[in-house]
Amino acid sequence: MNQFNMSLFLPPISPVKDSATGRTLQPPTLTPYKKKTLQEVYELITSSKRLKALTEAVRRAAESGDEKAYRMLKQQTLPYVTPCGVFSYRKSDRLTEPSGLVVADIDHLDSRQEAEKLKKELFNDLFLCPVLAFTSPSGRGVKAFIPYDTARMADAKQNASENIYWAMNYIEMVYGSHSCQPDREAPEKTHPDKGVDRSGKDLVRACFLSYDEEALIRRDM
């Protein structure tokens, strides 16, 4: 099995500031904690009691409808990885080892049931063939780690970037109807940003980890 190595970073991903003074209480983490294999990431998101407690707190914030509180709690408490590879520092030009993976992030789905359904559909897609798929911190999104050929071109950054675009475009084309129609079990109004998150196309794109005991991993790659 391919190891698919990546960097694990501890929170926070952005500065923690005093709400009254604006003074920085804790700077963002820019140096990775350690290198992790795909299998180790899977074990973390399926068995860590600490991550389970953090995820539950973040989801309570998400379900409250306070988007600002949800984002702040997520950014300040959740660990994250860089699926595209191992970095010596959280900067795109500090890649030391490409993983051969890109991440597709589908967010703002109408219900947790829709997220679980899409997670299985993406994982079973024979063209994408994700090696890992799990439910996002909000509970209404899916993160899929998709492999690509690192030997296709010499420029690792360009290779990864092109495959990120390819994965995003493919998911929008094939699953666009899925991403635009509300789940029948969820009468809420569809979120305007529902679908593939195109905000993170950088090589050092972060992927927040969240507890998911039903995460899917492919062991035959």
Side-chain angles (χ1 to χ4, degrees), residues 59 63 106-115 135-142 186 188-189:
R59 286 186 182 166
E63 290 166 1
I106 302 90
D107 210 357
H108 301 298
L109 300 176
D110 294 316
S111 68
R112 196 168 296 184
Q113 291 85 355
E114 184 179 6
T135 306
S136 66
S138 68
R140 294 192 175 192
V142 180
E188 308 99 302
K189 183 179 179 181

Side-chain angles (χ1 to χ4, degrees), residues 124-155:
N124 292 326
D125 188 302
L126 297 179
F127 195 57
L128 287 175
C129 206
V131 293
L132 178 67
F134 62 99
T135 306
S136 66
S138 68
R140 294 192 175 192
V142 180
K143 296 181 185 295
F145 291 8
I146 300 165
Y148 68 93
D149 182 8
T150 55
R152 190 173 69 88
M153 61 176 67
D155 188 322

Side-chain angles (χ1 to χ4, degrees), residues 17 21 25 31 97 100 103 107 125 132 144 149 170 180 199 216:
K17 297 187 176 182
T21 66
L25 302 176
T31 303
E97 179 186 341
V103 59
D107 210 357
D125 188 302
L132 178 67
D149 182 8
Y170 175 82
C180 294
S199 63
L216 303 170

